[in-house]
Amino acid sequence: MERSLVMKEEKVRLLFVCLGNICRSPSAEAVMKKLVKDAGLGDRIEIDSAGITGYHEGDRADSRMRAHAARRGYSLDSISRPVRQWDFHDFDLIIGMDDQNITDLKRMAPDLESVAKIHQMTEFSRNKLYDHVPDPYYSGAEGFELVLDLLEDACAGLLEYCKDRICLLYTSPSPRDMR
Ligand code: 4NP
């Protein structure tokens, strides 16, 4: 029997969320974009980030976060925006950084299908030392470095999850065999 390749899911759409969308979630966006690009999956995985609040709407990422990320080769180019209702429709996975983000996202979710899309970043961690990505805003340099350490680890796990979810290709009987 001739087999044809069928895409199970064409794309996975990821939205990273933190409180202000100027430190943790823009960093997650940059780390994940680099991993995805290096894996050759740029056309299969879409990535964006947003904040629970709109306090920093229109701002670039925090200058301290950008400096720490740049030292590891990441360019934080995103502009802060708040989570919007239609994000729960447009994205497949909505990934918060700490327990409060998760509580807030669940409160904002319009329906149960949307609630099921909400995950915590550290669910994807391989190194299980932390169960959340701590807010670095009032920390020193070590807080920003910790954010990047945790995100690099969790994004690697998330990439594996996305590969399984895209599931890449599976075989099924070709239409010709069905005649
Ligand atoms: P983020 O960090 O949620 O990782 O972007 C913060 C940014 C700003 C504030 C708090 C946390 N703030 O209080 O303005």
PDB file of all heavy atoms in Angstrom, residues 137-169:
ATOM      1  N   TYR A 137      12.196  41.955  38.890  1.00  0.00           N
ATOM      2  CA  TYR A 137      12.127  43.416  38.758  1.00  0.00           C
ATOM      3  C   TYR A 137      12.830  44.153  39.894  1.00  0.00           C
ATOM      4  O   TYR A 137      13.478  45.164  39.674  1.00  0.00           O
ATOM      5  CB  TYR A 137      10.655  43.840  38.667  1.00  0.00           C
ATOM      6  CG  TYR A 137      10.452  45.243  38.158  1.00  0.00           C
ATOM      7  CD1 TYR A 137      10.761  45.593  36.842  1.00  0.00           C
ATOM      8  CD2 TYR A 137       9.938  46.251  38.987  1.00  0.00           C
ATOM      9  CE1 TYR A 137      10.567  46.874  36.357  1.00  0.00           C
ATOM     10  CE2 TYR A 137       9.743  47.545  38.520  1.00  0.00           C
ATOM     11  CZ  TYR A 137      10.058  47.846  37.210  1.00  0.00           C
ATOM     12  OH  TYR A 137       9.861  49.123  36.731  1.00  0.00           O
ATOM     13  N   TYR A 138      12.672  43.631  41.128  1.00  0.00           N
ATOM     14  CA  TYR A 138      13.292  44.310  42.270  1.00  0.00           C
ATOM     15  C   TYR A 138      14.544  43.582  42.751  1.00  0.00           C
ATOM     16  O   TYR A 138      15.004  43.785  43.871  1.00  0.00           O
ATOM     17  CB  TYR A 138      12.274  44.451  43.413  1.00  0.00           C
ATOM     18  CG  TYR A 138      11.119  45.342  43.017  1.00  0.00           C
ATOM     19  CD1 TYR A 138       9.878  44.793  42.700  1.00  0.00           C
ATOM     20  CD2 TYR A 138      11.285  46.721  42.912  1.00  0.00           C
ATOM     21  CE1 TYR A 138       8.820  45.618  42.307  1.00  0.00           C
ATOM     22  CE2 TYR A 138      10.236  47.544  42.512  1.00  0.00           C
ATOM     23  CZ  TYR A 138       9.010  46.979  42.211  1.00  0.00           C
ATOM     24  OH  TYR A 138       7.977  47.789  41.817  1.00  0.00           O
ATOM     25  N   SER A 139      15.092  42.725  41.898  1.00  0.00           N
ATOM     26  CA  SER A 139      16.276  41.951  42.287  1.00  0.00           C
ATOM     27  C   SER A 139      17.540  42.605  41.729  1.00  0.00           C
ATOM     28  O   SER A 139      17.468  43.571  40.959  1.00  0.00           O
ATOM     29  CB  SER A 139      16.160  40.523  41.739  1.00  0.00           C
ATOM     30  OG  SER A 139      16.471  40.529  40.357  1.00  0.00           O
ATOM     31  N   GLY A 140      18.653  42.009  42.069  1.00  0.00           N
ATOM     32  CA  GLY A 140      19.912  42.423  41.465  1.00  0.00           C
ATOM     33  C   GLY A 140      20.200  41.561  40.242  1.00  0.00           C
ATOM     34  O   GLY A 140      19.318  40.830  39.753  1.00  0.00           O
ATOM     35  N   ALA A 141      21.464  41.629  39.814  1.00  0.00           N
ATOM     36  CA  ALA A 141      21.872  40.909  38.599  1.00  0.00           C
ATOM     37  C   ALA A 141      21.540  39.422  38.686  1.00  0.00           C
ATOM     38  O   ALA A 141      21.155  38.796  37.686  1.00  0.00           O
ATOM     39  CB  ALA A 141      23.367  41.099  38.384  1.00  0.00           C
ATOM     40  N   GLU A 142      21.673  38.857  39.913  1.00  0.00           N
ATOM     41  CA  GLU A 142      21.473  37.405  40.035  1.00  0.00           C
ATOM     42  C   GLU A 142      20.039  37.010  39.687  1.00  0.00           C
ATOM     43  O   GLU A 142      19.808  35.913  39.176  1.00  0.00           O
ATOM     44  CB  GLU A 142      21.864  36.912  41.449  1.00  0.00           C
ATOM     45  CG  GLU A 142      20.937  37.286  42.589  1.00  0.00           C
ATOM     46  CD  GLU A 142      20.917  38.775  42.935  1.00  0.00           C
ATOM     47  OE1 GLU A 142      21.795  39.544  42.483  1.00  0.00           O
ATOM     48  OE2 GLU A 142      19.993  39.181  43.668  1.00  0.00           O
ATOM     49  N   GLY A 143      19.080  37.910  39.928  1.00  0.00           N
ATOM     50  CA  GLY A 143      17.675  37.613  39.605  1.00  0.00           C
ATOM     51  C   GLY A 143      17.459  37.499  38.102  1.00  0.00           C
ATOM     52  O   GLY A 143      16.706  36.629  37.637  1.00  0.00           O
ATOM     53  N   PHE A 144      18.132  38.367  37.350  1.00  0.00           N
ATOM     54  CA  PHE A 144      17.993  38.341  35.888  1.00  0.00           C
ATOM     55  C   PHE A 144      18.696  37.113  35.298  1.00  0.00           C
ATOM     56  O   PHE A 144      18.211  36.496  34.356  1.00  0.00           O
ATOM     57  CB  PHE A 144      18.539  39.640  35.288  1.00  0.00           C
ATOM     58  CG  PHE A 144      17.684  40.835  35.643  1.00  0.00           C
ATOM     59  CD1 PHE A 144      17.949  41.592  36.777  1.00  0.00           C
ATOM     60  CD2 PHE A 144      16.584  41.173  34.870  1.00  0.00           C
ATOM     61  CE1 PHE A 144      17.144  42.668  37.132  1.00  0.00           C
ATOM     62  CE2 PHE A 144      15.771  42.246  35.209  1.00  0.00           C
ATOM     63  CZ  PHE A 144      16.048  42.994  36.347  1.00  0.00           C
ATOM     64  N   GLU A 145      19.837  36.768  35.886  1.00  0.00           N
ATOM     65  CA  GLU A 145      20.558  35.564  35.426  1.00  0.00           C
ATOM     66  C   GLU A 145      19.736  34.310  35.726  1.00  0.00           C
ATOM     67  O   GLU A 145      19.678  33.386  34.907  1.00  0.00           O
ATOM     68  CB  GLU A 145      21.933  35.478  36.098  1.00  0.00           C
ATOM     69  CG  GLU A 145      22.921  36.507  35.584  1.00  0.00           C
ATOM     70  CD  GLU A 145      23.226  36.349  34.083  1.00  0.00           C
ATOM     71  OE1 GLU A 145      23.426  35.213  33.644  1.00  0.00           O
ATOM     72  OE2 GLU A 145      23.243  37.375  33.380  1.00  0.00           O
ATOM     73  N   LEU A 146      19.098  34.291  36.906  1.00  0.00           N
ATOM     74  CA  LEU A 146      18.272  33.139  37.265  1.00  0.00           C
ATOM     75  C   LEU A 146      17.109  32.990  36.273  1.00  0.00           C
ATOM     76  O   LEU A 146      16.798  31.874  35.833  1.00  0.00           O
ATOM     77  CB  LEU A 146      17.732  33.283  38.696  1.00  0.00           C
ATOM     78  CG  LEU A 146      16.771  32.194  39.158  1.00  0.00           C
ATOM     79  CD1 LEU A 146      17.447  30.817  39.151  1.00  0.00           C
ATOM     80  CD2 LEU A 146      16.214  32.501  40.553  1.00  0.00           C
ATOM     81  N   VAL A 147      16.480  34.103  35.922  1.00  0.00           N
ATOM     82  CA  VAL A 147      15.384  34.049  34.934  1.00  0.00           C
ATOM     83  C   VAL A 147      15.872  33.368  33.658  1.00  0.00           C
ATOM     84  O   VAL A 147      15.219  32.456  33.120  1.00  0.00           O
ATOM     85  CB  VAL A 147      14.851  35.469  34.628  1.00  0.00           C
ATOM     86  CG1 VAL A 147      13.998  35.483  33.360  1.00  0.00           C
ATOM     87  CG2 VAL A 147      14.047  36.002  35.810  1.00  0.00           C
ATOM     88  N   LEU A 148      17.037  33.788  33.183  1.00  0.00           N
ATOM     89  CA  LEU A 148      17.553  33.222  31.913  1.00  0.00           C
ATOM     90  C   LEU A 148      17.913  31.749  32.070  1.00  0.00           C
ATOM     91  O   LEU A 148      17.645  30.941  31.176  1.00  0.00           O
ATOM     92  CB  LEU A 148      18.743  34.046  31.427  1.00  0.00           C
ATOM     93  CG  LEU A 148      18.362  35.465  30.965  1.00  0.00           C
ATOM     94  CD1 LEU A 148      19.597  36.346  30.830  1.00  0.00           C
ATOM     95  CD2 LEU A 148      17.584  35.423  29.645  1.00  0.00           C
ATOM     96  N   ASP A 149      18.515  31.390  33.224  1.00  0.00           N
ATOM     97  CA  ASP A 149      18.833  29.969  33.467  1.00  0.00           C
ATOM     98  C   ASP A 149      17.560  29.124  33.422  1.00  0.00           C
ATOM     99  O   ASP A 149      17.519  28.071  32.773  1.00  0.00           O
ATOM    100  CB  ASP A 149      19.474  29.779  34.851  1.00  0.00           C
ATOM    101  CG  ASP A 149      20.891  30.321  34.924  1.00  0.00           C
ATOM    102  OD1 ASP A 149      21.505  30.555  33.867  1.00  0.00           O
ATOM    103  OD2 ASP A 149      21.373  30.520  36.059  1.00  0.00           O
ATOM    104  N   LEU A 150      16.526  29.596  34.122  1.00  0.00           N
ATOM    105  CA  LEU A 150      15.277  28.829  34.189  1.00  0.00           C
ATOM    106  C   LEU A 150      14.604  28.759  32.824  1.00  0.00           C
ATOM    107  O   LEU A 150      14.062  27.712  32.436  1.00  0.00           O
ATOM    108  CB  LEU A 150      14.327  29.447  35.221  1.00  0.00           C
ATOM    109  CG  LEU A 150      14.789  29.358  36.677  1.00  0.00           C
ATOM    110  CD1 LEU A 150      13.874  30.175  37.579  1.00  0.00           C
ATOM    111  CD2 LEU A 150      14.840  27.906  37.143  1.00  0.00           C
ATOM    112  N   LEU A 151      14.639  29.865  32.088  1.00  0.00           N
ATOM    113  CA  LEU A 151      13.970  29.887  30.775  1.00  0.00           C
ATOM    114  C   LEU A 151      14.705  29.024  29.757  1.00  0.00           C
ATOM    115  O   LEU A 151      14.065  28.342  28.951  1.00  0.00           O
ATOM    116  CB  LEU A 151      13.846  31.326  30.271  1.00  0.00           C
ATOM    117  CG  LEU A 151      12.883  32.218  31.056  1.00  0.00           C
ATOM    118  CD1 LEU A 151      12.893  33.632  30.486  1.00  0.00           C
ATOM    119  CD2 LEU A 151      11.463  31.659  31.041  1.00  0.00           C
ATOM    120  N   GLU A 152      16.024  29.045  29.798  1.00  0.00           N
ATOM    121  CA  GLU A 152      16.761  28.204  28.831  1.00  0.00           C
ATOM    122  C   GLU A 152      16.438  26.732  29.054  1.00  0.00           C
ATOM    123  O   GLU A 152      16.261  25.968  28.096  1.00  0.00           O
ATOM    124  CB  GLU A 152      18.262  28.468  28.945  1.00  0.00           C
ATOM    125  CG  GLU A 152      18.654  29.801  28.325  1.00  0.00           C
ATOM    126  CD  GLU A 152      20.142  30.119  28.417  1.00  0.00           C
ATOM    127  OE1 GLU A 152      20.816  29.615  29.342  1.00  0.00           O
ATOM    128  OE2 GLU A 152      20.620  30.892  27.578  1.00  0.00           O
ATOM    129  N   ASP A 153      16.350  26.346  30.324  1.00  0.00           N
ATOM    130  CA  ASP A 153      16.029  24.948  30.642  1.00  0.00           C
ATOM    131  C   ASP A 153      14.586  24.619  30.239  1.00  0.00           C
ATOM    132  O   ASP A 153      14.330  23.624  29.539  1.00  0.00           O
ATOM    133  CB  ASP A 153      16.238  24.721  32.146  1.00  0.00           C
ATOM    134  CG  ASP A 153      15.860  23.325  32.572  1.00  0.00           C
ATOM    135  OD1 ASP A 153      16.201  22.368  31.851  1.00  0.00           O
ATOM    136  OD2 ASP A 153      15.204  23.177  33.618  1.00  0.00           O
ATOM    137  N   ALA A 154      13.639  25.461  30.658  1.00  0.00           N
ATOM    138  CA  ALA A 154      12.225  25.156  30.396  1.00  0.00           C
ATOM    139  C   ALA A 154      11.896  25.233  28.906  1.00  0.00           C
ATOM    140  O   ALA A 154      11.086  24.432  28.409  1.00  0.00           O
ATOM    141  CB  ALA A 154      11.332  26.107  31.189  1.00  0.00           C
ATOM    142  N   CYS A 155      12.507  26.169  28.190  1.00  0.00           N
ATOM    143  CA  CYS A 155      12.217  26.288  26.753  1.00  0.00           C
ATOM    144  C   CYS A 155      12.733  25.067  25.988  1.00  0.00           C
ATOM    145  O   CYS A 155      12.117  24.642  25.005  1.00  0.00           O
ATOM    146  CB  CYS A 155      12.804  27.575  26.176  1.00  0.00           C
ATOM    147  SG  CYS A 155      11.845  29.038  26.624  1.00  0.00           S
ATOM    148  N   ALA A 156      13.838  24.489  26.449  1.00  0.00           N
ATOM    149  CA  ALA A 156      14.325  23.261  25.802  1.00  0.00           C
ATOM    150  C   ALA A 156      13.288  22.149  25.982  1.00  0.00           C
ATOM    151  O   ALA A 156      12.993  21.389  25.042  1.00  0.00           O
ATOM    152  CB  ALA A 156      15.672  22.857  26.391  1.00  0.00           C
ATOM    153  N   GLY A 157      12.722  22.046  27.190  1.00  0.00           N
ATOM    154  CA  GLY A 157      11.662  21.056  27.425  1.00  0.00           C
ATOM    155  C   GLY A 157      10.413  21.366  26.612  1.00  0.00           C
ATOM    156  O   GLY A 157       9.767  20.461  26.079  1.00  0.00           O
ATOM    157  N   LEU A 158      10.087  22.648  26.528  1.00  0.00           N
ATOM    158  CA  LEU A 158       8.905  23.052  25.756  1.00  0.00           C
ATOM    159  C   LEU A 158       9.074  22.731  24.270  1.00  0.00           C
ATOM    160  O   LEU A 158       8.112  22.321  23.606  1.00  0.00           O
ATOM    161  CB  LEU A 158       8.663  24.561  25.960  1.00  0.00           C
ATOM    162  CG  LEU A 158       7.520  25.190  25.186  1.00  0.00           C
ATOM    163  CD1 LEU A 158       6.180  24.536  25.520  1.00  0.00           C
ATOM    164  CD2 LEU A 158       7.450  26.695  25.465  1.00  0.00           C
ATOM    165  N   LEU A 159      10.292  22.893  23.768  1.00  0.00           N
ATOM    166  CA  LEU A 159      10.526  22.561  22.358  1.00  0.00           C
ATOM    167  C   LEU A 159      10.237  21.084  22.101  1.00  0.00           C
ATOM    168  O   LEU A 159       9.609  20.727  21.099  1.00  0.00           O
ATOM    169  CB  LEU A 159      11.966  22.902  21.968  1.00  0.00           C
ATOM    170  CG  LEU A 159      12.341  22.578  20.519  1.00  0.00           C
ATOM    171  CD1 LEU A 159      11.508  23.399  19.531  1.00  0.00           C
ATOM    172  CD2 LEU A 159      13.826  22.800  20.269  1.00  0.00           C
ATOM    173  N   GLU A 160      10.671  20.220  23.013  1.00  0.00           N
ATOM    174  CA  GLU A 160      10.400  18.781  22.851  1.00  0.00           C
ATOM    175  C   GLU A 160       8.891  18.521  22.881  1.00  0.00           C
ATOM    176  O   GLU A 160       8.369  17.744  22.096  1.00  0.00           O
ATOM    177  CB  GLU A 160      11.109  17.966  23.945  1.00  0.00           C
ATOM    178  CG  GLU A 160      12.618  18.006  23.846  1.00  0.00           C
ATOM    179  CD  GLU A 160      13.126  17.680  22.437  1.00  0.00           C
ATOM    180  OE1 GLU A 160      12.726  16.629  21.894  1.00  0.00           O
ATOM    181  OE2 GLU A 160      13.900  18.479  21.883  1.00  0.00           O
ATOM    182  N   TYR A 161       8.189  19.205  23.782  1.00  0.00           N
ATOM    183  CA  TYR A 161       6.737  19.074  23.867  1.00  0.00           C
ATOM    184  C   TYR A 161       6.091  19.504  22.539  1.00  0.00           C
ATOM    185  O   TYR A 161       5.185  18.843  22.030  1.00  0.00           O
ATOM    186  CB  TYR A 161       6.210  19.929  25.023  1.00  0.00           C
ATOM    187  CG  TYR A 161       4.716  19.953  25.130  1.00  0.00           C
ATOM    188  CD1 TYR A 161       4.035  19.010  25.894  1.00  0.00           C
ATOM    189  CD2 TYR A 161       3.967  20.920  24.452  1.00  0.00           C
ATOM    190  CE1 TYR A 161       2.654  19.024  25.979  1.00  0.00           C
ATOM    191  CE2 TYR A 161       2.588  20.945  24.534  1.00  0.00           C
ATOM    192  CZ  TYR A 161       1.944  19.997  25.295  1.00  0.00           C
ATOM    193  OH  TYR A 161       0.570  20.022  25.371  1.00  0.00           O
ATOM    194  N   CYS A 162       6.568  20.611  21.991  1.00  0.00           N
ATOM    195  CA  CYS A 162       5.992  21.115  20.732  1.00  0.00           C
ATOM    196  C   CYS A 162       6.257  20.149  19.592  1.00  0.00           C
ATOM    197  O   CYS A 162       5.386  19.936  18.744  1.00  0.00           O
ATOM    198  CB  CYS A 162       6.570  22.485  20.384  1.00  0.00           C
ATOM    199  SG  CYS A 162       6.022  23.795  21.464  1.00  0.00           S
ATOM    200  N   LYS A 163       7.449  19.560  19.583  1.00  0.00           N
ATOM    201  CA  LYS A 163       7.769  18.601  18.509  1.00  0.00           C
ATOM    202  C   LYS A 163       6.795  17.426  18.573  1.00  0.00           C
ATOM    203  O   LYS A 163       6.298  16.973  17.550  1.00  0.00           O
ATOM    204  CB  LYS A 163       9.198  18.088  18.655  1.00  0.00           C
ATOM    205  CG  LYS A 163      10.259  19.068  18.211  1.00  0.00           C
ATOM    206  CD  LYS A 163      11.608  18.396  18.394  1.00  0.00           C
ATOM    207  CE  LYS A 163      12.759  19.312  18.083  1.00  0.00           C
ATOM    208  NZ  LYS A 163      14.045  18.724  18.517  1.00  0.00           N
ATOM    209  N   ASP A 164       6.529  16.936  19.790  1.00  0.00           N
ATOM    210  CA  ASP A 164       5.575  15.833  19.948  1.00  0.00           C
ATOM    211  C   ASP A 164       4.189  16.272  19.508  1.00  0.00           C
ATOM    212  O   ASP A 164       3.447  15.513  18.904  1.00  0.00           O
ATOM    213  CB  ASP A 164       5.485  15.392  21.416  1.00  0.00           C
ATOM    214  CG  ASP A 164       6.702  14.599  21.831  1.00  0.00           C
ATOM    215  OD1 ASP A 164       7.489  14.221  20.940  1.00  0.00           O
ATOM    216  OD2 ASP A 164       6.877  14.378  23.039  1.00  0.00           O
ATOM    217  N   ARG A 165       3.858  17.512  19.847  1.00  0.00           N
ATOM    218  CA  ARG A 165       2.505  17.993  19.543  1.00  0.00           C
ATOM    219  C   ARG A 165       2.323  18.190  18.039  1.00  0.00           C
ATOM    220  O   ARG A 165       1.281  17.851  17.490  1.00  0.00           O
ATOM    221  CB  ARG A 165       2.262  19.293  20.291  1.00  0.00           C
ATOM    222  CG  ARG A 165       0.882  19.796  20.066  1.00  0.00           C
ATOM    223  CD  ARG A 165       0.421  20.642  21.190  1.00  0.00           C
ATOM    224  NE  ARG A 165      -0.815  21.284  20.775  1.00  0.00           N
ATOM    225  CZ  ARG A 165      -1.693  21.794  21.587  1.00  0.00           C
ATOM    226  NH1 ARG A 165      -1.502  21.745  22.875  1.00  0.00           N
ATOM    227  NH2 ARG A 165      -2.775  22.359  21.128  1.00  0.00           N
ATOM    228  N   ILE A 166       3.326  18.739  17.411  1.00  0.00           N
ATOM    229  CA  ILE A 166       3.256  18.872  15.957  1.00  0.00           C
ATOM    230  C   ILE A 166       3.262  17.449  15.397  1.00  0.00           C
ATOM    231  O   ILE A 166       2.617  17.157  14.397  1.00  0.00           O
ATOM    232  CB  ILE A 166       4.467  19.651  15.411  1.00  0.00           C
ATOM    233  CG1 ILE A 166       4.486  21.067  15.942  1.00  0.00           C
ATOM    234  CG2 ILE A 166       4.456  19.687  13.895  1.00  0.00           C
ATOM    235  CD1 ILE A 166       5.790  21.796  15.706  1.00  0.00           C
ATOM    236  N   CYS A 167       4.009  16.627  16.122  1.00  0.00           N
ATOM    237  CA  CYS A 167       3.986  15.185  15.980  1.00  0.00           C
ATOM    238  C   CYS A 167       4.449  14.772  14.654  1.00  0.00           C
ATOM    239  O   CYS A 167       4.064  13.821  14.069  1.00  0.00           O
ATOM    240  CB  CYS A 167       2.580  14.692  16.182  1.00  0.00           C
ATOM    241  SG  CYS A 167       2.526  12.987  16.566  1.00  0.00           S
ATOM    242  N   LEU A 168       5.285  15.365  14.355  1.00  0.00           N
ATOM    243  CA  LEU A 168       5.575  15.882  13.070  1.00  0.00           C
ATOM    244  C   LEU A 168       4.735  15.219  12.024  1.00  0.00           C
ATOM    245  O   LEU A 168       3.611  15.640  11.780  1.00  0.00           O
ATOM    246  CB  LEU A 168       7.032  15.854  12.847  1.00  0.00           C
ATOM    247  CG  LEU A 168       7.645  16.774  13.860  1.00  0.00           C
ATOM    248  CD1 LEU A 168       9.099  16.819  13.819  1.00  0.00           C
ATOM    249  CD2 LEU A 168       7.090  18.095  13.856  1.00  0.00           C
ATOM    250  N   LEU A 169       5.201  14.147  11.509  1.00  0.00           N
ATOM    251  CA  LEU A 169       4.469  13.577  10.384  1.00  0.00           C
ATOM    252  C   LEU A 169       4.081  12.171  10.747  1.00  0.00           C
ATOM    253  O   LEU A 169       4.795  11.488  11.435  1.00  0.00           O
ATOM    254  CB  LEU A 169       5.377  13.543   9.169  1.00  0.00           C
ATOM    255  CG  LEU A 169       5.948  14.878   8.780  1.00  0.00           C
ATOM    256  CD1 LEU A 169       7.072  14.685   7.781  1.00  0.00           C
ATOM    257  CD2 LEU A 169       4.886  15.732   8.162  1.00  0.00           C
TER     258      LEU A 169
END
